[in-house]
Amino acid sequence: MRPAKKQFDRKKTLSRLLKYLYHTYPVRFVLIFIGIILTSIGSLAASVFMAQIIDNVIYAGIETGFDSVKGTLITLLVSLGSIYLIAILASLAYQQMLCTVTQGFLYQMRTDMFKKMEKLPISYFDRNAHGDIMSTYTNDVDAVRQLISQSLPGIIQTLFTVTILFGVMLYYSIWLAIAVLFAVFFIFSVTKRVGGGSAKYFIKQQKSVAECEAFIEEMMNGQKVVKVFCHEEKSKADFEVLNENLNHNAYKANAYANMLGPIIHNIGNVLYVIVAIIGVVLVVNGAPNFSLRGFGTADDVVFTMIPAGNMGVALTMGIAITFLGMSRQFANSFNQISMQINSVVMALAGADRIFELLDQKEEEDQGYVTLVNCNIDENGNIIETDKHTGHWAWKHPHGDGTLTYTELKGDIRFFDVNFGYYPDKIVLHDVSIYAKPGQKIAFVGATGAGKTTITNLINRFYDIQDGKIRYDGINIEKIKKSDLRRSIGIVLQDTNLFTGTVKDNIRYGKLDATDEEIYQAAKIANAYDFITRLPEGFDTMLTGNGSQLSQGQRQLISIARCAIADAPVMILDEATSSIDTRTEALVSKGMDGLMHGRTVFVIAHRLSTVQNSNAIMVLDHGRIIERGDHDVLIQEKGTYYQLYTGAFELE
Ligand SMILES: Nc1ncnc2c1ncn2[C@@H]1O[C@H](COP(=O)(O)OP(=O)(O)OP(=O)(O)O)[C@@H](O)[C@H]1O
Ligand SMILES: [Mg+2]
């Protein structure tokens, strides 16, 4: 889990979350609110009716005979029943709606997050560990689910209940209400102190869980390395530290949380006793009672029915008993809120991380030059068309309203390009490259020299600080990124295969490819033979980045995936590094056929692969130190010559 920012504004996060929720389901949001309120009214009805039944039915019945109060009793019971019925229906309805809203909201949130993620620049993934981003989708979304489906409705219901309860109390007796108010004050201060401690540790606990998970995952992936270096004991010890940390934080979090319940419960008990004492004093001694109903002593009304319309002024037995019930309900309500506090804190921390992801700056694209299908007539005029013609052109709108078309050829030029992943650490210095359509340009150089970095700039994974890159004469910053990338086929240095069949993986390069095209691409990549020997041939399922294949086989599939894309520019970054020399020669031959009319950038450690290139760039610490074809570089007897002869000796 990404650590929460040190300070985040919980109120702001909560209000943003509620707004988000409201915008997703405006009508249901309001209906749920009404449902919660009706449900809490139902939960209060019993207490309020209790006073009426004791005073107006039981005591009145004792005085005047039960026949005379039968009507009142029936009216009261029917009213109570009706309120309960409404409350049950409201509760059922709102719970159902809540289910729809919660799940729908989470669905929406995940969609928004994923949509956002697909628009983020590559540099975002450089800065954030993948496990952390992942945990936003799992842990953080789940924390928000708990908040929306349980904590928030519970808290709203409780807050509403206690407000009404307090109003009823004031209505019946100000003395008793004041006693309750004191208890509330106590409960608040205790909750704040203890709850704050537990919230702090709950957040720490979440972080420790994530660290443990990340460690376990890493150890599982690296199990072979652990065994090779006999580091089982060390990894056990490392895990022990993380596990102890988790244990400590979880213990603290729960110890604090478990303290809160009993404390509040006992404050509730004390409150119960205080209310009982005050009640007895007021009722038995006929002491003056102040209430919103008026002022009076118990003597006025004790054991008599309060006549309708009478400004009933005293505390009756019925009210005193009801008060006891209400004070219990009051304390229980606070108890419930206190139990939700941790999940609220955790959910808001999670929501904050989700919003942080949603607020990330997207990959900018000011490109307006697009790639279109075209026909080229005998005079060389380019005519745009909707049909797939196999010919492409850059459509370039100009400021004066005119349009020009430039045929897509694959001419790529770098002019004095400077670039660094971080502004203060320049990786490429004054790089100039001229690659004409149909040329094969090779980059060689030591590890970390900047070979992959150059290819990252061609398709604008990163933007350059200084200099210019032109594609068919157009500054690549003017080209719409998706169109630019569509016109470039890449075999990345790190092979990445997706879960799916071999066929699906090759088809990834061209979604509407026919089976025949897939077989053809596999043949070019020299992958056809081994694929047909797989248990289910092209339909063999690949999982876990193709872990059931050899490294070289994975590379061959990714070469086939690139070949099928049929792009005018191809970049092969160490595409054949794990492939044996014989297969490499075959792939190379296949690729040479494919390369006809294309611009190809190759990065290879084996110099035999790059020998037939039109130009070889020797890179050293981000600078091109030699350039020329194989023969020229050999004659120059520089770095390339040394590498070449050195490699020869090695072989
Ligand atoms: N995502 C990144 N963020 C920051 N620095 C990076 C990043 N990728 C590469 N670098 C740095 O840029 C420099 C050039 O790296 P690059 O990957 O281009 O090397 P390379 O020539 O492809 O090496 P190799 O032969 O090992 O693939 C290195 O110093 C590396 O540390
Ligand atoms: Mg590289």
Side-chain angles (χ1 to χ4, degrees), residues 144-174:
V144 171
R145 177 195 58 74
Q146 174 129 7
L147 179 76
I148 303 173
S149 65
Q150 289 167 15
S151 313
L152 265 189
I155 288 174
I156 294 172
Q157 186 171 343
T158 313
L159 284 180
F160 187 77
T161 308
V162 296
T163 312
I164 303 246
L165 266 179
F166 196 67
V168 174
M169 287 176 178
L170 282 177
Y171 179 73
Y172 282 132
S173 171
I174 287 174

PDB file of all heavy atoms in Angstrom, residues 144-174:
ATOM      1  N   VAL A 144     -13.470   1.451   1.088  1.00  0.00           N
ATOM      2  CA  VAL A 144     -14.553   2.368   0.712  1.00  0.00           C
ATOM      3  C   VAL A 144     -15.892   1.622   0.676  1.00  0.00           C
ATOM      4  O   VAL A 144     -16.919   2.138   1.089  1.00  0.00           O
ATOM      5  CB  VAL A 144     -14.253   3.034  -0.655  1.00  0.00           C
ATOM      6  CG1 VAL A 144     -15.446   3.795  -1.165  1.00  0.00           C
ATOM      7  CG2 VAL A 144     -13.062   3.967  -0.522  1.00  0.00           C
ATOM      8  N   ARG A 145     -15.843   0.371   0.223  1.00  0.00           N
ATOM      9  CA  ARG A 145     -17.082  -0.430   0.212  1.00  0.00           C
ATOM     10  C   ARG A 145     -17.659  -0.539   1.621  1.00  0.00           C
ATOM     11  O   ARG A 145     -18.844  -0.328   1.850  1.00  0.00           O
ATOM     12  CB  ARG A 145     -16.798  -1.840  -0.323  1.00  0.00           C
ATOM     13  CG  ARG A 145     -18.025  -2.749  -0.293  1.00  0.00           C
ATOM     14  CD  ARG A 145     -17.664  -4.209  -0.459  1.00  0.00           C
ATOM     15  NE  ARG A 145     -16.742  -4.700   0.556  1.00  0.00           N
ATOM     16  CZ  ARG A 145     -17.065  -4.957   1.820  1.00  0.00           C
ATOM     17  NH1 ARG A 145     -18.312  -4.802   2.224  1.00  0.00           N
ATOM     18  NH2 ARG A 145     -16.178  -5.351   2.686  1.00  0.00           N
ATOM     19  N   GLN A 146     -16.790  -0.842   2.559  1.00  0.00           N
ATOM     20  CA  GLN A 146     -17.241  -0.983   3.934  1.00  0.00           C
ATOM     21  C   GLN A 146     -17.851   0.329   4.441  1.00  0.00           C
ATOM     22  O   GLN A 146     -18.864   0.335   5.121  1.00  0.00           O
ATOM     23  CB  GLN A 146     -16.042  -1.357   4.794  1.00  0.00           C
ATOM     24  CG  GLN A 146     -16.356  -1.402   6.258  1.00  0.00           C
ATOM     25  CD  GLN A 146     -15.882  -2.702   6.860  1.00  0.00           C
ATOM     26  OE1 GLN A 146     -15.213  -3.479   6.189  1.00  0.00           O
ATOM     27  NE2 GLN A 146     -16.219  -2.938   8.097  1.00  0.00           N
ATOM     28  N   LEU A 147     -17.220   1.423   4.052  1.00  0.00           N
ATOM     29  CA  LEU A 147     -17.712   2.729   4.497  1.00  0.00           C
ATOM     30  C   LEU A 147     -19.116   2.987   3.951  1.00  0.00           C
ATOM     31  O   LEU A 147     -20.022   3.356   4.693  1.00  0.00           O
ATOM     32  CB  LEU A 147     -16.759   3.827   4.017  1.00  0.00           C
ATOM     33  CG  LEU A 147     -17.175   5.252   4.385  1.00  0.00           C
ATOM     34  CD1 LEU A 147     -16.890   5.514   5.855  1.00  0.00           C
ATOM     35  CD2 LEU A 147     -16.466   6.281   3.546  1.00  0.00           C
ATOM     36  N   ILE A 148     -19.290   2.759   2.663  1.00  0.00           N
ATOM     37  CA  ILE A 148     -20.572   3.097   2.049  1.00  0.00           C
ATOM     38  C   ILE A 148     -21.670   2.134   2.471  1.00  0.00           C
ATOM     39  O   ILE A 148     -22.792   2.528   2.730  1.00  0.00           O
ATOM     40  CB  ILE A 148     -20.465   3.063   0.509  1.00  0.00           C
ATOM     41  CG1 ILE A 148     -19.379   4.015   0.044  1.00  0.00           C
ATOM     42  CG2 ILE A 148     -21.778   3.457  -0.121  1.00  0.00           C
ATOM     43  CD1 ILE A 148     -19.123   3.887  -1.432  1.00  0.00           C
ATOM     44  N   SER A 149     -21.303   0.845   2.545  1.00  0.00           N
ATOM     45  CA  SER A 149     -22.380  -0.110   2.786  1.00  0.00           C
ATOM     46  C   SER A 149     -22.696  -0.271   4.261  1.00  0.00           C
ATOM     47  O   SER A 149     -23.789  -0.655   4.618  1.00  0.00           O
ATOM     48  CB  SER A 149     -22.030  -1.452   2.159  1.00  0.00           C
ATOM     49  OG  SER A 149     -20.906  -1.983   2.811  1.00  0.00           O
ATOM     50  N   GLN A 150     -21.735  -0.008   5.142  1.00  0.00           N
ATOM     51  CA  GLN A 150     -22.012  -0.229   6.561  1.00  0.00           C
ATOM     52  C   GLN A 150     -21.836   1.010   7.425  1.00  0.00           C
ATOM     53  O   GLN A 150     -22.778   1.463   8.070  1.00  0.00           O
ATOM     54  CB  GLN A 150     -21.109  -1.341   7.093  1.00  0.00           C
ATOM     55  CG  GLN A 150     -21.504  -2.690   6.552  1.00  0.00           C
ATOM     56  CD  GLN A 150     -20.439  -3.729   6.826  1.00  0.00           C
ATOM     57  OE1 GLN A 150     -19.546  -3.523   7.647  1.00  0.00           O
ATOM     58  NE2 GLN A 150     -20.520  -4.839   6.137  1.00  0.00           N
ATOM     59  N   SER A 151     -20.624   1.534   7.440  1.00  0.00           N
ATOM     60  CA  SER A 151     -20.342   2.585   8.415  1.00  0.00           C
ATOM     61  C   SER A 151     -21.200   3.820   8.216  1.00  0.00           C
ATOM     62  O   SER A 151     -21.833   4.292   9.161  1.00  0.00           O
ATOM     63  CB  SER A 151     -18.878   2.967   8.348  1.00  0.00           C
ATOM     64  OG  SER A 151     -18.095   1.814   8.335  1.00  0.00           O
ATOM     65  N   LEU A 152     -21.243   4.325   6.991  1.00  0.00           N
ATOM     66  CA  LEU A 152     -21.970   5.580   6.772  1.00  0.00           C
ATOM     67  C   LEU A 152     -23.458   5.461   7.099  1.00  0.00           C
ATOM     68  O   LEU A 152     -23.988   6.271   7.863  1.00  0.00           O
ATOM     69  CB  LEU A 152     -21.784   6.060   5.339  1.00  0.00           C
ATOM     70  CG  LEU A 152     -20.679   7.075   5.095  1.00  0.00           C
ATOM     71  CD1 LEU A 152     -20.782   7.606   3.675  1.00  0.00           C
ATOM     72  CD2 LEU A 152     -20.724   8.231   6.082  1.00  0.00           C
ATOM     73  N   PRO A 153     -24.166   4.440   6.565  1.00  0.00           N
ATOM     74  CA  PRO A 153     -25.580   4.347   6.910  1.00  0.00           C
ATOM     75  C   PRO A 153     -25.775   4.202   8.416  1.00  0.00           C
ATOM     76  O   PRO A 153     -26.668   4.811   9.001  1.00  0.00           O
ATOM     77  CB  PRO A 153     -26.047   3.078   6.187  1.00  0.00           C
ATOM     78  CG  PRO A 153     -25.050   2.831   5.141  1.00  0.00           C
ATOM     79  CD  PRO A 153     -23.772   3.414   5.605  1.00  0.00           C
ATOM     80  N   GLY A 154     -24.884   3.405   9.046  1.00  0.00           N
ATOM     81  CA  GLY A 154     -24.984   3.204  10.489  1.00  0.00           C
ATOM     82  C   GLY A 154     -24.838   4.532  11.224  1.00  0.00           C
ATOM     83  O   GLY A 154     -25.604   4.859  12.129  1.00  0.00           O
ATOM     84  N   ILE A 155     -23.859   5.315  10.795  1.00  0.00           N
ATOM     85  CA  ILE A 155     -23.595   6.576  11.483  1.00  0.00           C
ATOM     86  C   ILE A 155     -24.746   7.564  11.266  1.00  0.00           C
ATOM     87  O   ILE A 155     -25.209   8.215  12.206  1.00  0.00           O
ATOM     88  CB  ILE A 155     -22.251   7.165  11.009  1.00  0.00           C
ATOM     89  CG1 ILE A 155     -21.123   6.314  11.583  1.00  0.00           C
ATOM     90  CG2 ILE A 155     -22.091   8.604  11.454  1.00  0.00           C
ATOM     91  CD1 ILE A 155     -19.752   6.670  11.097  1.00  0.00           C
ATOM     92  N   ILE A 156     -25.230   7.626  10.044  1.00  0.00           N
ATOM     93  CA  ILE A 156     -26.346   8.552   9.779  1.00  0.00           C
ATOM     94  C   ILE A 156     -27.547   8.164  10.639  1.00  0.00           C
ATOM     95  O   ILE A 156     -28.176   8.993  11.286  1.00  0.00           O
ATOM     96  CB  ILE A 156     -26.738   8.524   8.281  1.00  0.00           C
ATOM     97  CG1 ILE A 156     -25.595   9.082   7.437  1.00  0.00           C
ATOM     98  CG2 ILE A 156     -28.018   9.322   8.040  1.00  0.00           C
ATOM     99  CD1 ILE A 156     -25.791   8.924   5.954  1.00  0.00           C
ATOM    100  N   GLN A 157     -27.824   6.856  10.666  1.00  0.00           N
ATOM    101  CA  GLN A 157     -28.971   6.383  11.451  1.00  0.00           C
ATOM    102  C   GLN A 157     -28.783   6.723  12.930  1.00  0.00           C
ATOM    103  O   GLN A 157     -29.689   7.223  13.592  1.00  0.00           O
ATOM    104  CB  GLN A 157     -29.129   4.879  11.259  1.00  0.00           C
ATOM    105  CG  GLN A 157     -30.383   4.358  11.932  1.00  0.00           C
ATOM    106  CD  GLN A 157     -30.666   2.912  11.561  1.00  0.00           C
ATOM    107  OE1 GLN A 157     -30.132   2.404  10.585  1.00  0.00           O
ATOM    108  NE2 GLN A 157     -31.516   2.262  12.334  1.00  0.00           N
ATOM    109  N   THR A 158     -27.575   6.485  13.417  1.00  0.00           N
ATOM    110  CA  THR A 158     -27.328   6.737  14.827  1.00  0.00           C
ATOM    111  C   THR A 158     -27.423   8.224  15.142  1.00  0.00           C
ATOM    112  O   THR A 158     -28.049   8.613  16.137  1.00  0.00           O
ATOM    113  CB  THR A 158     -25.922   6.240  15.213  1.00  0.00           C
ATOM    114  OG1 THR A 158     -25.765   4.939  14.691  1.00  0.00           O
ATOM    115  CG2 THR A 158     -25.746   6.225  16.697  1.00  0.00           C
ATOM    116  N   LEU A 159     -26.827   9.038  14.300  1.00  0.00           N
ATOM    117  CA  LEU A 159     -26.873  10.476  14.556  1.00  0.00           C
ATOM    118  C   LEU A 159     -28.311  10.973  14.579  1.00  0.00           C
ATOM    119  O   LEU A 159     -28.712  11.748  15.448  1.00  0.00           O
ATOM    120  CB  LEU A 159     -26.071  11.234  13.489  1.00  0.00           C
ATOM    121  CG  LEU A 159     -24.558  11.156  13.643  1.00  0.00           C
ATOM    122  CD1 LEU A 159     -23.879  11.932  12.533  1.00  0.00           C
ATOM    123  CD2 LEU A 159     -24.119  11.688  15.011  1.00  0.00           C
ATOM    124  N   PHE A 160     -29.082  10.486  13.637  1.00  0.00           N
ATOM    125  CA  PHE A 160     -30.477  10.900  13.584  1.00  0.00           C
ATOM    126  C   PHE A 160     -31.225  10.421  14.829  1.00  0.00           C
ATOM    127  O   PHE A 160     -31.969  11.167  15.463  1.00  0.00           O
ATOM    128  CB  PHE A 160     -31.120  10.329  12.313  1.00  0.00           C
ATOM    129  CG  PHE A 160     -32.499  10.839  12.090  1.00  0.00           C
ATOM    130  CD1 PHE A 160     -32.705  12.122  11.594  1.00  0.00           C
ATOM    131  CD2 PHE A 160     -33.601  10.056  12.390  1.00  0.00           C
ATOM    132  CE1 PHE A 160     -33.985  12.597  11.396  1.00  0.00           C
ATOM    133  CE2 PHE A 160     -34.877  10.528  12.200  1.00  0.00           C
ATOM    134  CZ  PHE A 160     -35.075  11.809  11.697  1.00  0.00           C
ATOM    135  N   THR A 161     -30.967   9.169  15.212  1.00  0.00           N
ATOM    136  CA  THR A 161     -31.636   8.601  16.387  1.00  0.00           C
ATOM    137  C   THR A 161     -31.310   9.408  17.642  1.00  0.00           C
ATOM    138  O   THR A 161     -32.206   9.765  18.406  1.00  0.00           O
ATOM    139  CB  THR A 161     -31.184   7.135  16.581  1.00  0.00           C
ATOM    140  OG1 THR A 161     -31.371   6.454  15.358  1.00  0.00           O
ATOM    141  CG2 THR A 161     -31.978   6.450  17.670  1.00  0.00           C
ATOM    142  N   VAL A 162     -30.026   9.700  17.841  1.00  0.00           N
ATOM    143  CA  VAL A 162     -29.689  10.404  19.074  1.00  0.00           C
ATOM    144  C   VAL A 162     -30.250  11.825  19.077  1.00  0.00           C
ATOM    145  O   VAL A 162     -30.666  12.326  20.127  1.00  0.00           O
ATOM    146  CB  VAL A 162     -28.168  10.423  19.373  1.00  0.00           C
ATOM    147  CG1 VAL A 162     -27.646   9.048  19.618  1.00  0.00           C
ATOM    148  CG2 VAL A 162     -27.401  11.109  18.297  1.00  0.00           C
ATOM    149  N   THR A 163     -30.322  12.441  17.902  1.00  0.00           N
ATOM    150  CA  THR A 163     -30.888  13.795  17.865  1.00  0.00           C
ATOM    151  C   THR A 163     -32.354  13.758  18.289  1.00  0.00           C
ATOM    152  O   THR A 163     -32.803  14.534  19.132  1.00  0.00           O
ATOM    153  CB  THR A 163     -30.784  14.376  16.434  1.00  0.00           C
ATOM    154  OG1 THR A 163     -29.477  14.157  15.965  1.00  0.00           O
ATOM    155  CG2 THR A 163     -31.106  15.848  16.406  1.00  0.00           C
ATOM    156  N   ILE A 164     -33.094  12.810  17.707  1.00  0.00           N
ATOM    157  CA  ILE A 164     -34.516  12.716  18.059  1.00  0.00           C
ATOM    158  C   ILE A 164     -34.671  12.347  19.534  1.00  0.00           C
ATOM    159  O   ILE A 164     -35.473  12.928  20.265  1.00  0.00           O
ATOM    160  CB  ILE A 164     -35.206  11.632  17.206  1.00  0.00           C
ATOM    161  CG1 ILE A 164     -35.035  11.945  15.736  1.00  0.00           C
ATOM    162  CG2 ILE A 164     -36.668  11.488  17.618  1.00  0.00           C
ATOM    163  CD1 ILE A 164     -36.268  12.280  15.012  1.00  0.00           C
ATOM    164  N   LEU A 165     -33.845  11.387  19.959  1.00  0.00           N
ATOM    165  CA  LEU A 165     -33.924  10.962  21.360  1.00  0.00           C
ATOM    166  C   LEU A 165     -33.720  12.160  22.280  1.00  0.00           C
ATOM    167  O   LEU A 165     -34.452  12.349  23.247  1.00  0.00           O
ATOM    168  CB  LEU A 165     -32.828   9.946  21.653  1.00  0.00           C
ATOM    169  CG  LEU A 165     -33.173   8.467  21.535  1.00  0.00           C
ATOM    170  CD1 LEU A 165     -31.948   7.638  21.851  1.00  0.00           C
ATOM    171  CD2 LEU A 165     -34.306   8.094  22.480  1.00  0.00           C
ATOM    172  N   PHE A 166     -32.742  12.957  21.910  1.00  0.00           N
ATOM    173  CA  PHE A 166     -32.443  14.100  22.756  1.00  0.00           C
ATOM    174  C   PHE A 166     -33.614  15.083  22.760  1.00  0.00           C
ATOM    175  O   PHE A 166     -33.983  15.626  23.807  1.00  0.00           O
ATOM    176  CB  PHE A 166     -31.152  14.772  22.282  1.00  0.00           C
ATOM    177  CG  PHE A 166     -30.589  15.695  23.294  1.00  0.00           C
ATOM    178  CD1 PHE A 166     -30.092  15.202  24.491  1.00  0.00           C
ATOM    179  CD2 PHE A 166     -30.592  17.067  23.095  1.00  0.00           C
ATOM    180  CE1 PHE A 166     -29.592  16.052  25.453  1.00  0.00           C
ATOM    181  CE2 PHE A 166     -30.086  17.923  24.060  1.00  0.00           C
ATOM    182  CZ  PHE A 166     -29.587  17.415  25.239  1.00  0.00           C
ATOM    183  N   GLY A 167     -34.217  15.271  21.598  1.00  0.00           N
ATOM    184  CA  GLY A 167     -35.391  16.133  21.521  1.00  0.00           C
ATOM    185  C   GLY A 167     -36.511  15.608  22.413  1.00  0.00           C
ATOM    186  O   GLY A 167     -37.137  16.358  23.181  1.00  0.00           O
ATOM    187  N   VAL A 168     -36.764  14.301  22.340  1.00  0.00           N
ATOM    188  CA  VAL A 168     -37.823  13.691  23.163  1.00  0.00           C
ATOM    189  C   VAL A 168     -37.507  13.876  24.642  1.00  0.00           C
ATOM    190  O   VAL A 168     -38.370  14.192  25.462  1.00  0.00           O
ATOM    191  CB  VAL A 168     -37.969  12.188  22.814  1.00  0.00           C
ATOM    192  CG1 VAL A 168     -38.945  11.509  23.752  1.00  0.00           C
ATOM    193  CG2 VAL A 168     -38.402  12.022  21.374  1.00  0.00           C
ATOM    194  N   MET A 169     -36.220  13.708  24.973  1.00  0.00           N
ATOM    195  CA  MET A 169     -35.816  13.857  26.369  1.00  0.00           C
ATOM    196  C   MET A 169     -36.080  15.277  26.860  1.00  0.00           C
ATOM    197  O   MET A 169     -36.597  15.480  27.953  1.00  0.00           O
ATOM    198  CB  MET A 169     -34.327  13.537  26.517  1.00  0.00           C
ATOM    199  CG  MET A 169     -34.043  12.072  26.409  1.00  0.00           C
ATOM    200  SD  MET A 169     -32.277  11.815  26.485  1.00  0.00           S
ATOM    201  CE  MET A 169     -32.210  10.049  26.402  1.00  0.00           C
ATOM    202  N   LEU A 170     -35.687  16.240  26.012  1.00  0.00           N
ATOM    203  CA  LEU A 170     -35.919  17.638  26.400  1.00  0.00           C
ATOM    204  C   LEU A 170     -37.410  17.891  26.581  1.00  0.00           C
ATOM    205  O   LEU A 170     -37.839  18.621  27.469  1.00  0.00           O
ATOM    206  CB  LEU A 170     -35.367  18.578  25.327  1.00  0.00           C
ATOM    207  CG  LEU A 170     -33.858  18.792  25.326  1.00  0.00           C
ATOM    208  CD1 LEU A 170     -33.467  19.685  24.163  1.00  0.00           C
ATOM    209  CD2 LEU A 170     -33.372  19.418  26.632  1.00  0.00           C
ATOM    210  N   TYR A 171     -38.167  17.242  25.752  1.00  0.00           N
ATOM    211  CA  TYR A 171     -39.614  17.420  25.800  1.00  0.00           C
ATOM    212  C   TYR A 171     -40.164  16.925  27.129  1.00  0.00           C
ATOM    213  O   TYR A 171     -41.050  17.517  27.722  1.00  0.00           O
ATOM    214  CB  TYR A 171     -40.239  16.651  24.628  1.00  0.00           C
ATOM    215  CG  TYR A 171     -41.730  16.719  24.557  1.00  0.00           C
ATOM    216  CD1 TYR A 171     -42.374  17.900  24.160  1.00  0.00           C
ATOM    217  CD2 TYR A 171     -42.504  15.609  24.876  1.00  0.00           C
ATOM    218  CE1 TYR A 171     -43.752  17.965  24.097  1.00  0.00           C
ATOM    219  CE2 TYR A 171     -43.886  15.671  24.805  1.00  0.00           C
ATOM    220  CZ  TYR A 171     -44.509  16.852  24.411  1.00  0.00           C
ATOM    221  OH  TYR A 171     -45.876  16.912  24.346  1.00  0.00           O
ATOM    222  N   TYR A 172     -39.579  15.836  27.623  1.00  0.00           N
ATOM    223  CA  TYR A 172     -40.100  15.241  28.852  1.00  0.00           C
ATOM    224  C   TYR A 172     -39.454  15.795  30.113  1.00  0.00           C
ATOM    225  O   TYR A 172     -40.118  16.004  31.113  1.00  0.00           O
ATOM    226  CB  TYR A 172     -39.924  13.722  28.823  1.00  0.00           C
ATOM    227  CG  TYR A 172     -40.966  13.023  27.975  1.00  0.00           C
ATOM    228  CD1 TYR A 172     -40.601  12.061  27.048  1.00  0.00           C
ATOM    229  CD2 TYR A 172     -42.320  13.333  28.124  1.00  0.00           C
ATOM    230  CE1 TYR A 172     -41.544  11.410  26.286  1.00  0.00           C
ATOM    231  CE2 TYR A 172     -43.271  12.695  27.349  1.00  0.00           C
ATOM    232  CZ  TYR A 172     -42.889  11.736  26.431  1.00  0.00           C
ATOM    233  OH  TYR A 172     -43.834  11.112  25.685  1.00  0.00           O
ATOM    234  N   SER A 173     -38.120  15.973  30.067  1.00  0.00           N
ATOM    235  CA  SER A 173     -37.477  16.450  31.293  1.00  0.00           C
ATOM    236  C   SER A 173     -36.101  17.036  31.015  1.00  0.00           C
ATOM    237  O   SER A 173     -35.213  16.342  30.522  1.00  0.00           O
ATOM    238  CB  SER A 173     -37.317  15.293  32.294  1.00  0.00           C
ATOM    239  OG  SER A 173     -36.507  15.729  33.364  1.00  0.00           O
ATOM    240  N   ILE A 174     -35.955  18.300  31.353  1.00  0.00           N
ATOM    241  CA  ILE A 174     -34.679  18.951  31.093  1.00  0.00           C
ATOM    242  C   ILE A 174     -33.585  18.426  32.021  1.00  0.00           C
ATOM    243  O   ILE A 174     -32.458  18.198  31.617  1.00  0.00           O
ATOM    244  CB  ILE A 174     -34.836  20.487  31.197  1.00  0.00           C
ATOM    245  CG1 ILE A 174     -35.595  20.961  29.961  1.00  0.00           C
ATOM    246  CG2 ILE A 174     -33.476  21.179  31.278  1.00  0.00           C
ATOM    247  CD1 ILE A 174     -35.964  22.414  29.948  1.00  0.00           C
TER     248      ILE A 174
END
